[in-house]
Amino acid sequence: KQEVTQIPAALSVPEGENLVLNCSFTDSAIYNLQWFRQDPGKGLTSLLLIQSSQREQTSGRLNASLDKSSGRSTLYIAASQPGDSATYLCAVPHASGGSYIPTFGRGTSLIVHP
Amino acid sequence: EPEVTQTPSHQVTQMGQEVILRCVPISNHLYFYWYRQILGQKVEFLVSFYNNEISEKSEIFDDQFSVERPDGSNFTLKIRSTKLEDSAMYFCASSESGAGTDTQYFGPGTRLTVL
């Protein structure tokens, strides 16, 4: 059974800092890994999806890397802004009954203060 | 940009009552999902649906739950007799295909409060 762990659970930083959020998973036979953002009381917004054959993906100030063999992914946020404050979730899907069902981590709650 | 929509945004009900949560997936998507997130807990998979059938369900999705695609646009989750522990955010998602390489797009959620 896939287990997904995210460290740290919470992070509070001043504006402008570069950040690294960590995600680890126990079963390295993955299809992809996805990072989401969740604002308080809201739904999930997909940030980046890294296919199992890829090492990293970039979108603006976000960069996600994937190391399948060690079961790790990192989300790097450059020059953080107060608008980046949210919970960041990583999810790893597994094949089941014709569907690909993601297992989510608990998330890293990020606060960027001005 | 197309998005998944859900109604209502907040539902309050009495224990033992039936509730129906509604979702409108993205129009060209073929796979539909329901998830729940109990306050402070992980997002948990409930059920996936394709071609008018359940393709996968978790152990949470017991006989009190059912899903339906009553027309060409809506996708519903029914909870037959709600319990206190059903209080959670319920998210609908859809994807174009069921491939492991595909992205699921999530709706904003329905907060269900069972009193």
Side-chain angles (χ1 to χ4, degrees), chain A residues 4 31-32 34 36 38 41-44 46 49 51 96-97 99-102 104 106, chain B residues 35 37 40-43 45 48 55-56 91 98-101 103-104 106-108:
Chain A
V4 178
Y31 296 89
N32 61 53
Q34 196 163 1
F36 292 87
Q38 184 177 28
K42 304 289 186 185
L44 282 67
S46 178
L49 184 148
Q51 302 296 349
S96 181
S99 300
Y100 289 86
I101 308 304
F104 285 84
R106 284 186 178 274
Chain B
Y35 297 83
Q37 186 179 32
Q41 303 295 316
K42 293 184 181 185
V43 176
F45 167 75
S48 61
S55 52
E56 184 67 13
F91 295 108
T101 53
T103 299
Q104 291 185 20
F106 283 73

PDB file of all heavy atoms in Angstrom, chain A residues 4 31-32 34 36 38 41-44 46 49 51 96-97 99-102 104 106, chain B residues 35 37 40-43 45 48 55-56 91 98-101 103-104 106-108:
ATOM      1  N   VAL A   4       2.248   8.182   1.557  1.00  0.00           N
ATOM      2  CA  VAL A   4       2.835   9.457   1.121  1.00  0.00           C
ATOM      3  C   VAL A   4       3.013  10.346   2.347  1.00  0.00           C
ATOM      4  O   VAL A   4       2.058  10.551   3.103  1.00  0.00           O
ATOM      5  CB  VAL A   4       1.931  10.147   0.080  1.00  0.00           C
ATOM      6  CG1 VAL A   4       2.522  11.478  -0.331  1.00  0.00           C
ATOM      7  CG2 VAL A   4       1.755   9.247  -1.140  1.00  0.00           C
ATOM      8  N   TYR A  31       3.308   6.086 -11.605  1.00  0.00           N
ATOM      9  CA  TYR A  31       3.050   6.550 -12.961  1.00  0.00           C
ATOM     10  C   TYR A  31       3.392   8.030 -13.107  1.00  0.00           C
ATOM     11  O   TYR A  31       3.865   8.488 -14.138  1.00  0.00           O
ATOM     12  CB  TYR A  31       1.584   6.318 -13.317  1.00  0.00           C
ATOM     13  CG  TYR A  31       1.224   4.873 -13.336  1.00  0.00           C
ATOM     14  CD1 TYR A  31       0.779   4.230 -12.189  1.00  0.00           C
ATOM     15  CD2 TYR A  31       1.348   4.119 -14.507  1.00  0.00           C
ATOM     16  CE1 TYR A  31       0.469   2.883 -12.194  1.00  0.00           C
ATOM     17  CE2 TYR A  31       1.035   2.774 -14.519  1.00  0.00           C
ATOM     18  CZ  TYR A  31       0.599   2.165 -13.357  1.00  0.00           C
ATOM     19  OH  TYR A  31       0.304   0.833 -13.366  1.00  0.00           O
ATOM     20  N   ASN A  32       3.058   8.764 -12.053  1.00  0.00           N
ATOM     21  CA  ASN A  32       3.385  10.180 -12.040  1.00  0.00           C
ATOM     22  C   ASN A  32       3.274  10.665 -10.601  1.00  0.00           C
ATOM     23  O   ASN A  32       2.911   9.900  -9.693  1.00  0.00           O
ATOM     24  CB  ASN A  32       2.467  10.994 -12.968  1.00  0.00           C
ATOM     25  CG  ASN A  32       1.005  10.918 -12.573  1.00  0.00           C
ATOM     26  OD1 ASN A  32       0.648  11.186 -11.425  1.00  0.00           O
ATOM     27  ND2 ASN A  32       0.149  10.567 -13.514  1.00  0.00           N
ATOM     28  N   GLN A  34       1.916  14.327  -8.559  1.00  0.00           N
ATOM     29  CA  GLN A  34       1.263  15.612  -8.804  1.00  0.00           C
ATOM     30  C   GLN A  34       1.317  16.460  -7.549  1.00  0.00           C
ATOM     31  O   GLN A  34       1.103  15.960  -6.437  1.00  0.00           O
ATOM     32  CB  GLN A  34      -0.193  15.370  -9.228  1.00  0.00           C
ATOM     33  CG  GLN A  34      -0.874  16.554  -9.864  1.00  0.00           C
ATOM     34  CD  GLN A  34      -2.133  16.147 -10.611  1.00  0.00           C
ATOM     35  OE1 GLN A  34      -2.516  14.989 -10.638  1.00  0.00           O
ATOM     36  NE2 GLN A  34      -2.799  17.114 -11.217  1.00  0.00           N
ATOM     37  N   PHE A  36      -0.400  19.771  -5.689  1.00  0.00           N
ATOM     38  CA  PHE A  36      -1.606  20.581  -5.674  1.00  0.00           C
ATOM     39  C   PHE A  36      -1.443  21.708  -4.664  1.00  0.00           C
ATOM     40  O   PHE A  36      -0.698  21.600  -3.688  1.00  0.00           O
ATOM     41  CB  PHE A  36      -2.829  19.759  -5.232  1.00  0.00           C
ATOM     42  CG  PHE A  36      -3.261  18.697  -6.178  1.00  0.00           C
ATOM     43  CD1 PHE A  36      -2.713  17.428  -6.121  1.00  0.00           C
ATOM     44  CD2 PHE A  36      -4.250  18.946  -7.120  1.00  0.00           C
ATOM     45  CE1 PHE A  36      -3.120  16.422  -6.981  1.00  0.00           C
ATOM     46  CE2 PHE A  36      -4.675  17.946  -7.980  1.00  0.00           C
ATOM     47  CZ  PHE A  36      -4.112  16.692  -7.913  1.00  0.00           C
ATOM     48  N   GLN A  38      -3.989  23.979  -2.079  1.00  0.00           N
ATOM     49  CA  GLN A  38      -5.333  24.063  -1.508  1.00  0.00           C
ATOM     50  C   GLN A  38      -5.401  25.282  -0.617  1.00  0.00           C
ATOM     51  O   GLN A  38      -4.701  25.367   0.398  1.00  0.00           O
ATOM     52  CB  GLN A  38      -5.686  22.800  -0.709  1.00  0.00           C
ATOM     53  CG  GLN A  38      -7.110  22.812  -0.176  1.00  0.00           C
ATOM     54  CD  GLN A  38      -7.484  21.547   0.556  1.00  0.00           C
ATOM     55  OE1 GLN A  38      -6.631  20.866   1.134  1.00  0.00           O
ATOM     56  NE2 GLN A  38      -8.762  21.212   0.539  1.00  0.00           N
ATOM     57  N   GLY A  41     -10.512  26.064   2.987  1.00  0.00           N
ATOM     58  CA  GLY A  41     -11.918  25.863   2.664  1.00  0.00           C
ATOM     59  C   GLY A  41     -12.212  25.749   1.183  1.00  0.00           C
ATOM     60  O   GLY A  41     -13.378  25.807   0.775  1.00  0.00           O
ATOM     61  N   LYS A  42     -11.188  25.567   0.392  1.00  0.00           N
ATOM     62  CA  LYS A  42     -11.375  25.540  -1.069  1.00  0.00           C
ATOM     63  C   LYS A  42     -10.970  24.173  -1.638  1.00  0.00           C
ATOM     64  O   LYS A  42     -10.507  23.291  -0.925  1.00  0.00           O
ATOM     65  CB  LYS A  42     -10.514  26.632  -1.728  1.00  0.00           C
ATOM     66  CG  LYS A  42     -10.764  28.023  -1.216  1.00  0.00           C
ATOM     67  CD  LYS A  42     -12.093  28.566  -1.644  1.00  0.00           C
ATOM     68  CE  LYS A  42     -12.259  30.010  -1.249  1.00  0.00           C
ATOM     69  NZ  LYS A  42     -13.605  30.518  -1.561  1.00  0.00           N
ATOM     70  N   GLY A  43     -11.129  24.060  -2.964  1.00  0.00           N
ATOM     71  CA  GLY A  43     -10.739  22.846  -3.659  1.00  0.00           C
ATOM     72  C   GLY A  43      -9.257  22.786  -3.938  1.00  0.00           C
ATOM     73  O   GLY A  43      -8.487  23.624  -3.471  1.00  0.00           O
ATOM     74  N   LEU A  44      -8.883  21.791  -4.732  1.00  0.00           N
ATOM     75  CA  LEU A  44      -7.481  21.561  -5.059  1.00  0.00           C
ATOM     76  C   LEU A  44      -7.179  22.096  -6.453  1.00  0.00           C
ATOM     77  O   LEU A  44      -7.910  21.821  -7.397  1.00  0.00           O
ATOM     78  CB  LEU A  44      -7.170  20.063  -5.026  1.00  0.00           C
ATOM     79  CG  LEU A  44      -6.980  19.414  -3.672  1.00  0.00           C
ATOM     80  CD1 LEU A  44      -8.248  19.385  -2.857  1.00  0.00           C
ATOM     81  CD2 LEU A  44      -6.446  18.007  -3.844  1.00  0.00           C
ATOM     82  N   SER A  46      -4.340  22.003  -9.367  1.00  0.00           N
ATOM     83  CA  SER A  46      -3.136  21.301  -9.811  1.00  0.00           C
ATOM     84  C   SER A  46      -2.050  22.309 -10.165  1.00  0.00           C
ATOM     85  O   SER A  46      -2.283  23.265 -10.901  1.00  0.00           O
ATOM     86  CB  SER A  46      -3.463  20.442 -11.027  1.00  0.00           C
ATOM     87  OG  SER A  46      -2.305  19.790 -11.491  1.00  0.00           O
ATOM     88  N   LEU A  49       2.499  18.364 -12.666  1.00  0.00           N
ATOM     89  CA  LEU A  49       2.423  16.916 -12.759  1.00  0.00           C
ATOM     90  C   LEU A  49       3.718  16.446 -13.405  1.00  0.00           C
ATOM     91  O   LEU A  49       4.065  16.902 -14.498  1.00  0.00           O
ATOM     92  CB  LEU A  49       1.205  16.486 -13.581  1.00  0.00           C
ATOM     93  CG  LEU A  49       0.942  14.984 -13.697  1.00  0.00           C
ATOM     94  CD1 LEU A  49      -0.544  14.714 -13.805  1.00  0.00           C
ATOM     95  CD2 LEU A  49       1.641  14.370 -14.881  1.00  0.00           C
ATOM     96  N   GLN A  51       5.659  13.242 -14.886  1.00  0.00           N
ATOM     97  CA  GLN A  51       5.520  11.853 -15.310  1.00  0.00           C
ATOM     98  C   GLN A  51       6.667  11.039 -14.742  1.00  0.00           C
ATOM     99  O   GLN A  51       7.733  11.567 -14.431  1.00  0.00           O
ATOM    100  CB  GLN A  51       5.515  11.770 -16.844  1.00  0.00           C
ATOM    101  CG  GLN A  51       4.427  12.579 -17.522  1.00  0.00           C
ATOM    102  CD  GLN A  51       3.019  12.114 -17.189  1.00  0.00           C
ATOM    103  OE1 GLN A  51       2.813  11.056 -16.600  1.00  0.00           O
ATOM    104  NE2 GLN A  51       2.030  12.910 -17.558  1.00  0.00           N
ATOM    105  N   SER A  96      -5.812   0.835 -10.185  1.00  0.00           N
ATOM    106  CA  SER A  96      -6.735  -0.005  -9.448  1.00  0.00           C
ATOM    107  C   SER A  96      -8.039  -0.092 -10.213  1.00  0.00           C
ATOM    108  O   SER A  96      -8.705   0.923 -10.418  1.00  0.00           O
ATOM    109  CB  SER A  96      -6.960   0.562  -8.043  1.00  0.00           C
ATOM    110  OG  SER A  96      -7.845  -0.254  -7.310  1.00  0.00           O
ATOM    111  N   GLY A  97      -8.403  -1.291 -10.651  1.00  0.00           N
ATOM    112  CA  GLY A  97      -9.686  -1.500 -11.299  1.00  0.00           C
ATOM    113  C   GLY A  97      -9.914  -0.652 -12.530  1.00  0.00           C
ATOM    114  O   GLY A  97     -11.027  -0.213 -12.779  1.00  0.00           O
ATOM    115  N   SER A  99      -8.832   2.336 -13.010  1.00  0.00           N
ATOM    116  CA  SER A  99      -8.643   3.753 -12.700  1.00  0.00           C
ATOM    117  C   SER A  99      -7.263   3.956 -12.096  1.00  0.00           C
ATOM    118  O   SER A  99      -6.585   2.991 -11.725  1.00  0.00           O
ATOM    119  CB  SER A  99      -9.690   4.223 -11.688  1.00  0.00           C
ATOM    120  OG  SER A  99     -10.992   4.058 -12.164  1.00  0.00           O
ATOM    121  N   TYR A 100      -6.866   5.210 -12.037  1.00  0.00           N
ATOM    122  CA  TYR A 100      -5.616   5.576 -11.362  1.00  0.00           C
ATOM    123  C   TYR A 100      -6.006   6.443 -10.178  1.00  0.00           C
ATOM    124  O   TYR A 100      -6.451   7.573 -10.342  1.00  0.00           O
ATOM    125  CB  TYR A 100      -4.673   6.294 -12.324  1.00  0.00           C
ATOM    126  CG  TYR A 100      -4.114   5.351 -13.347  1.00  0.00           C
ATOM    127  CD1 TYR A 100      -4.805   5.069 -14.511  1.00  0.00           C
ATOM    128  CD2 TYR A 100      -2.906   4.698 -13.132  1.00  0.00           C
ATOM    129  CE1 TYR A 100      -4.304   4.180 -15.435  1.00  0.00           C
ATOM    130  CE2 TYR A 100      -2.397   3.811 -14.053  1.00  0.00           C
ATOM    131  CZ  TYR A 100      -3.099   3.551 -15.206  1.00  0.00           C
ATOM    132  OH  TYR A 100      -2.608   2.656 -16.121  1.00  0.00           O
ATOM    133  N   ILE A 101      -5.831   5.890  -9.008  1.00  0.00           N
ATOM    134  CA  ILE A 101      -6.341   6.507  -7.789  1.00  0.00           C
ATOM    135  C   ILE A 101      -5.195   7.129  -7.032  1.00  0.00           C
ATOM    136  O   ILE A 101      -4.245   6.436  -6.646  1.00  0.00           O
ATOM    137  CB  ILE A 101      -7.035   5.453  -6.896  1.00  0.00           C
ATOM    138  CG1 ILE A 101      -8.068   4.675  -7.707  1.00  0.00           C
ATOM    139  CG2 ILE A 101      -7.619   6.128  -5.670  1.00  0.00           C
ATOM    140  CD1 ILE A 101      -9.103   5.534  -8.385  1.00  0.00           C
ATOM    141  N   PRO A 102      -5.254   8.447  -6.813  1.00  0.00           N
ATOM    142  CA  PRO A 102      -4.147   9.085  -6.097  1.00  0.00           C
ATOM    143  C   PRO A 102      -4.219   8.861  -4.595  1.00  0.00           C
ATOM    144  O   PRO A 102      -5.288   8.875  -4.004  1.00  0.00           O
ATOM    145  CB  PRO A 102      -4.319  10.563  -6.432  1.00  0.00           C
ATOM    146  CG  PRO A 102      -5.744  10.732  -6.773  1.00  0.00           C
ATOM    147  CD  PRO A 102      -6.225   9.422  -7.293  1.00  0.00           C
ATOM    148  N   PHE A 104      -2.889  10.749  -1.320  1.00  0.00           N
ATOM    149  CA  PHE A 104      -2.443  12.085  -0.964  1.00  0.00           C
ATOM    150  C   PHE A 104      -1.608  12.075   0.308  1.00  0.00           C
ATOM    151  O   PHE A 104      -1.845  11.274   1.213  1.00  0.00           O
ATOM    152  CB  PHE A 104      -3.649  13.001  -0.736  1.00  0.00           C
ATOM    153  CG  PHE A 104      -4.343  13.443  -1.985  1.00  0.00           C
ATOM    154  CD1 PHE A 104      -5.297  12.643  -2.591  1.00  0.00           C
ATOM    155  CD2 PHE A 104      -4.047  14.668  -2.557  1.00  0.00           C
ATOM    156  CE1 PHE A 104      -5.939  13.049  -3.747  1.00  0.00           C
ATOM    157  CE2 PHE A 104      -4.685  15.084  -3.714  1.00  0.00           C
ATOM    158  CZ  PHE A 104      -5.639  14.270  -4.308  1.00  0.00           C
ATOM    159  N   ARG A 106      -0.491  14.491   3.730  1.00  0.00           N
ATOM    160  CA  ARG A 106      -1.252  15.384   4.595  1.00  0.00           C
ATOM    161  C   ARG A 106      -1.067  16.845   4.241  1.00  0.00           C
ATOM    162  O   ARG A 106      -1.845  17.694   4.646  1.00  0.00           O
ATOM    163  CB  ARG A 106      -0.853  15.192   6.055  1.00  0.00           C
ATOM    164  CG  ARG A 106      -1.403  13.946   6.686  1.00  0.00           C
ATOM    165  CD  ARG A 106      -1.077  13.913   8.180  1.00  0.00           C
ATOM    166  NE  ARG A 106      -1.641  12.737   8.781  1.00  0.00           N
ATOM    167  CZ  ARG A 106      -2.896  12.664   9.237  1.00  0.00           C
ATOM    168  NH1 ARG A 106      -3.676  13.716   9.167  1.00  0.00           N
ATOM    169  NH2 ARG A 106      -3.349  11.560   9.764  1.00  0.00           N
TER     170      ARG A 106
ATOM    171  N   TYR B  35     -14.080  12.461  -3.812  1.00  0.00           N
ATOM    172  CA  TYR B  35     -13.136  12.366  -2.702  1.00  0.00           C
ATOM    173  C   TYR B  35     -13.759  13.057  -1.503  1.00  0.00           C
ATOM    174  O   TYR B  35     -14.659  13.885  -1.641  1.00  0.00           O
ATOM    175  CB  TYR B  35     -11.824  13.093  -3.027  1.00  0.00           C
ATOM    176  CG  TYR B  35     -11.050  12.530  -4.188  1.00  0.00           C
ATOM    177  CD1 TYR B  35     -11.378  12.878  -5.494  1.00  0.00           C
ATOM    178  CD2 TYR B  35      -9.995  11.657  -3.978  1.00  0.00           C
ATOM    179  CE1 TYR B  35     -10.664  12.365  -6.566  1.00  0.00           C
ATOM    180  CE2 TYR B  35      -9.276  11.142  -5.042  1.00  0.00           C
ATOM    181  CZ  TYR B  35      -9.617  11.506  -6.334  1.00  0.00           C
ATOM    182  OH  TYR B  35      -8.910  10.990  -7.394  1.00  0.00           O
ATOM    183  N   GLN B  37     -12.587  14.954   2.423  1.00  0.00           N
ATOM    184  CA  GLN B  37     -11.515  15.393   3.311  1.00  0.00           C
ATOM    185  C   GLN B  37     -12.136  15.810   4.636  1.00  0.00           C
ATOM    186  O   GLN B  37     -12.791  16.858   4.736  1.00  0.00           O
ATOM    187  CB  GLN B  37     -10.736  16.555   2.692  1.00  0.00           C
ATOM    188  CG  GLN B  37      -9.514  16.968   3.511  1.00  0.00           C
ATOM    189  CD  GLN B  37      -8.746  18.107   2.862  1.00  0.00           C
ATOM    190  OE1 GLN B  37      -9.315  18.976   2.202  1.00  0.00           O
ATOM    191  NE2 GLN B  37      -7.427  18.138   3.055  1.00  0.00           N
ATOM    192  N   GLY B  40      -8.800  18.570   8.804  1.00  0.00           N
ATOM    193  CA  GLY B  40      -7.483  18.263   9.349  1.00  0.00           C
ATOM    194  C   GLY B  40      -6.885  16.958   8.878  1.00  0.00           C
ATOM    195  O   GLY B  40      -5.769  16.608   9.291  1.00  0.00           O
ATOM    196  N   GLN B  41      -7.616  16.228   8.025  1.00  0.00           N
ATOM    197  CA  GLN B  41      -7.136  14.919   7.571  1.00  0.00           C
ATOM    198  C   GLN B  41      -6.749  14.951   6.090  1.00  0.00           C
ATOM    199  O   GLN B  41      -6.892  15.974   5.423  1.00  0.00           O
ATOM    200  CB  GLN B  41      -8.236  13.866   7.785  1.00  0.00           C
ATOM    201  CG  GLN B  41      -8.738  13.746   9.201  1.00  0.00           C
ATOM    202  CD  GLN B  41      -7.669  13.247  10.148  1.00  0.00           C
ATOM    203  OE1 GLN B  41      -6.939  12.299   9.833  1.00  0.00           O
ATOM    204  NE2 GLN B  41      -7.557  13.898  11.294  1.00  0.00           N
ATOM    205  N   LYS B  42      -6.284  13.820   5.605  1.00  0.00           N
ATOM    206  CA  LYS B  42      -5.894  13.707   4.200  1.00  0.00           C
ATOM    207  C   LYS B  42      -7.116  13.681   3.293  1.00  0.00           C
ATOM    208  O   LYS B  42      -8.213  13.308   3.717  1.00  0.00           O
ATOM    209  CB  LYS B  42      -5.124  12.407   3.976  1.00  0.00           C
ATOM    210  CG  LYS B  42      -3.783  12.306   4.634  1.00  0.00           C
ATOM    211  CD  LYS B  42      -3.104  11.003   4.230  1.00  0.00           C
ATOM    212  CE  LYS B  42      -1.757  10.853   4.887  1.00  0.00           C
ATOM    213  NZ  LYS B  42      -1.028   9.658   4.411  1.00  0.00           N
ATOM    214  N   VAL B  43      -6.888  14.039   2.055  1.00  0.00           N
ATOM    215  CA  VAL B  43      -7.896  13.816   1.022  1.00  0.00           C
ATOM    216  C   VAL B  43      -7.967  12.318   0.754  1.00  0.00           C
ATOM    217  O   VAL B  43      -6.934  11.662   0.543  1.00  0.00           O
ATOM    218  CB  VAL B  43      -7.520  14.565  -0.270  1.00  0.00           C
ATOM    219  CG1 VAL B  43      -8.505  14.256  -1.381  1.00  0.00           C
ATOM    220  CG2 VAL B  43      -7.445  16.079  -0.016  1.00  0.00           C
ATOM    221  N   PHE B  45      -9.855   9.045  -1.346  1.00  0.00           N
ATOM    222  CA  PHE B  45     -10.618   8.613  -2.506  1.00  0.00           C
ATOM    223  C   PHE B  45     -11.881   7.880  -2.065  1.00  0.00           C
ATOM    224  O   PHE B  45     -11.854   7.052  -1.142  1.00  0.00           O
ATOM    225  CB  PHE B  45      -9.754   7.696  -3.363  1.00  0.00           C
ATOM    226  CG  PHE B  45     -10.492   6.929  -4.415  1.00  0.00           C
ATOM    227  CD1 PHE B  45     -10.937   7.556  -5.568  1.00  0.00           C
ATOM    228  CD2 PHE B  45     -10.733   5.571  -4.264  1.00  0.00           C
ATOM    229  CE1 PHE B  45     -11.614   6.844  -6.541  1.00  0.00           C
ATOM    230  CE2 PHE B  45     -11.402   4.855  -5.228  1.00  0.00           C
ATOM    231  CZ  PHE B  45     -11.848   5.482  -6.368  1.00  0.00           C
ATOM    232  N   SER B  48     -14.609   6.051  -8.287  1.00  0.00           N
ATOM    233  CA  SER B  48     -14.398   6.521  -9.656  1.00  0.00           C
ATOM    234  C   SER B  48     -15.492   5.939 -10.538  1.00  0.00           C
ATOM    235  O   SER B  48     -16.036   4.851 -10.248  1.00  0.00           O
ATOM    236  CB  SER B  48     -13.009   6.142 -10.177  1.00  0.00           C
ATOM    237  OG  SER B  48     -12.845   4.741 -10.192  1.00  0.00           O
ATOM    238  N   SER B  55     -16.064   2.221 -11.503  1.00  0.00           N
ATOM    239  CA  SER B  55     -14.899   1.440 -11.917  1.00  0.00           C
ATOM    240  C   SER B  55     -14.026   1.072 -10.724  1.00  0.00           C
ATOM    241  O   SER B  55     -13.307   0.075 -10.773  1.00  0.00           O
ATOM    242  CB  SER B  55     -14.070   2.185 -12.963  1.00  0.00           C
ATOM    243  OG  SER B  55     -13.755   3.478 -12.519  1.00  0.00           O
ATOM    244  N   GLU B  56     -14.098   1.849  -9.666  1.00  0.00           N
ATOM    245  CA  GLU B  56     -13.327   1.529  -8.466  1.00  0.00           C
ATOM    246  C   GLU B  56     -13.961   2.251  -7.285  1.00  0.00           C
ATOM    247  O   GLU B  56     -14.488   3.360  -7.436  1.00  0.00           O
ATOM    248  CB  GLU B  56     -11.869   1.987  -8.627  1.00  0.00           C
ATOM    249  CG  GLU B  56     -10.953   1.613  -7.487  1.00  0.00           C
ATOM    250  CD  GLU B  56     -10.710   0.129  -7.360  1.00  0.00           C
ATOM    251  OE1 GLU B  56     -11.051  -0.625  -8.287  1.00  0.00           O
ATOM    252  OE2 GLU B  56     -10.192  -0.292  -6.309  1.00  0.00           O
ATOM    253  N   PHE B  91     -15.131  16.487  -2.514  1.00  0.00           N
ATOM    254  CA  PHE B  91     -14.624  17.020  -3.773  1.00  0.00           C
ATOM    255  C   PHE B  91     -14.983  16.098  -4.916  1.00  0.00           C
ATOM    256  O   PHE B  91     -14.819  14.883  -4.834  1.00  0.00           O
ATOM    257  CB  PHE B  91     -13.101  17.163  -3.735  1.00  0.00           C
ATOM    258  CG  PHE B  91     -12.599  18.161  -2.729  1.00  0.00           C
ATOM    259  CD1 PHE B  91     -11.962  17.726  -1.583  1.00  0.00           C
ATOM    260  CD2 PHE B  91     -12.760  19.509  -2.934  1.00  0.00           C
ATOM    261  CE1 PHE B  91     -11.497  18.640  -0.649  1.00  0.00           C
ATOM    262  CE2 PHE B  91     -12.293  20.434  -2.004  1.00  0.00           C
ATOM    263  CZ  PHE B  91     -11.661  19.990  -0.857  1.00  0.00           C
ATOM    264  N   GLY B  98      -8.622   7.921 -18.285  1.00  0.00           N
ATOM    265  CA  GLY B  98      -8.281   7.317 -17.000  1.00  0.00           C
ATOM    266  C   GLY B  98      -6.820   6.951 -16.909  1.00  0.00           C
ATOM    267  O   GLY B  98      -6.421   6.238 -16.001  1.00  0.00           O
ATOM    268  N   ALA B  99      -6.034   7.463 -17.862  1.00  0.00           N
ATOM    269  CA  ALA B  99      -4.621   7.086 -17.914  1.00  0.00           C
ATOM    270  C   ALA B  99      -3.864   7.605 -16.710  1.00  0.00           C
ATOM    271  O   ALA B  99      -4.185   8.651 -16.153  1.00  0.00           O
ATOM    272  CB  ALA B  99      -3.979   7.630 -19.184  1.00  0.00           C
ATOM    273  N   GLY B 100      -2.830   6.872 -16.317  1.00  0.00           N
ATOM    274  CA  GLY B 100      -2.021   7.290 -15.185  1.00  0.00           C
ATOM    275  C   GLY B 100      -1.279   8.573 -15.443  1.00  0.00           C
ATOM    276  O   GLY B 100      -0.827   9.234 -14.518  1.00  0.00           O
ATOM    277  N   THR B 101      -1.160   8.960 -16.722  1.00  0.00           N
ATOM    278  CA  THR B 101      -0.470  10.191 -17.069  1.00  0.00           C
ATOM    279  C   THR B 101      -1.399  11.404 -17.079  1.00  0.00           C
ATOM    280  O   THR B 101      -0.953  12.520 -17.288  1.00  0.00           O
ATOM    281  CB  THR B 101       0.158  10.060 -18.468  1.00  0.00           C
ATOM    282  OG1 THR B 101      -0.873   9.631 -19.386  1.00  0.00           O
ATOM    283  CG2 THR B 101       1.265   9.020 -18.462  1.00  0.00           C
ATOM    284  N   THR B 103      -4.230  14.289 -15.827  1.00  0.00           N
ATOM    285  CA  THR B 103      -4.483  15.145 -14.672  1.00  0.00           C
ATOM    286  C   THR B 103      -5.951  15.087 -14.302  1.00  0.00           C
ATOM    287  O   THR B 103      -6.812  15.118 -15.180  1.00  0.00           O
ATOM    288  CB  THR B 103      -4.110  16.600 -15.007  1.00  0.00           C
ATOM    289  OG1 THR B 103      -2.726  16.660 -15.325  1.00  0.00           O
ATOM    290  CG2 THR B 103      -4.392  17.530 -13.830  1.00  0.00           C
ATOM    291  N   GLN B 104      -6.226  15.002 -13.009  1.00  0.00           N
ATOM    292  CA  GLN B 104      -7.596  15.138 -12.536  1.00  0.00           C
ATOM    293  C   GLN B 104      -7.823  16.596 -12.150  1.00  0.00           C
ATOM    294  O   GLN B 104      -6.984  17.211 -11.480  1.00  0.00           O
ATOM    295  CB  GLN B 104      -7.845  14.230 -11.326  1.00  0.00           C
ATOM    296  CG  GLN B 104      -7.830  12.754 -11.677  1.00  0.00           C
ATOM    297  CD  GLN B 104      -8.206  11.874 -10.499  1.00  0.00           C
ATOM    298  OE1 GLN B 104      -8.819  12.318  -9.532  1.00  0.00           O
ATOM    299  NE2 GLN B 104      -7.857  10.597 -10.576  1.00  0.00           N
ATOM    300  N   PHE B 106     -10.130  19.214 -10.075  1.00  0.00           N
ATOM    301  CA  PHE B 106     -10.988  19.171  -8.905  1.00  0.00           C
ATOM    302  C   PHE B 106     -11.944  20.358  -8.849  1.00  0.00           C
ATOM    303  O   PHE B 106     -11.587  21.480  -9.246  1.00  0.00           O
ATOM    304  CB  PHE B 106     -10.141  19.172  -7.628  1.00  0.00           C
ATOM    305  CG  PHE B 106      -9.514  17.840  -7.319  1.00  0.00           C
ATOM    306  CD1 PHE B 106      -8.446  17.369  -8.066  1.00  0.00           C
ATOM    307  CD2 PHE B 106     -10.009  17.054  -6.300  1.00  0.00           C
ATOM    308  CE1 PHE B 106      -7.867  16.130  -7.790  1.00  0.00           C
ATOM    309  CE2 PHE B 106      -9.439  15.820  -6.011  1.00  0.00           C
ATOM    310  CZ  PHE B 106      -8.372  15.356  -6.764  1.00  0.00           C
ATOM    311  N   GLY B 107     -13.135  20.111  -8.328  1.00  0.00           N
ATOM    312  CA  GLY B 107     -14.071  21.174  -8.052  1.00  0.00           C
ATOM    313  C   GLY B 107     -13.763  21.846  -6.727  1.00  0.00           C
ATOM    314  O   GLY B 107     -12.875  21.396  -5.993  1.00  0.00           O
ATOM    315  N   PRO B 108     -14.513  22.904  -6.392  1.00  0.00           N
ATOM    316  CA  PRO B 108     -14.241  23.665  -5.163  1.00  0.00           C
ATOM    317  C   PRO B 108     -14.712  22.975  -3.891  1.00  0.00           C
ATOM    318  O   PRO B 108     -14.368  23.409  -2.794  1.00  0.00           O
ATOM    319  CB  PRO B 108     -15.017  24.962  -5.393  1.00  0.00           C
ATOM    320  CG  PRO B 108     -16.132  24.569  -6.301  1.00  0.00           C
ATOM    321  CD  PRO B 108     -15.586  23.503  -7.184  1.00  0.00           C
TER     322      PRO B 108
END
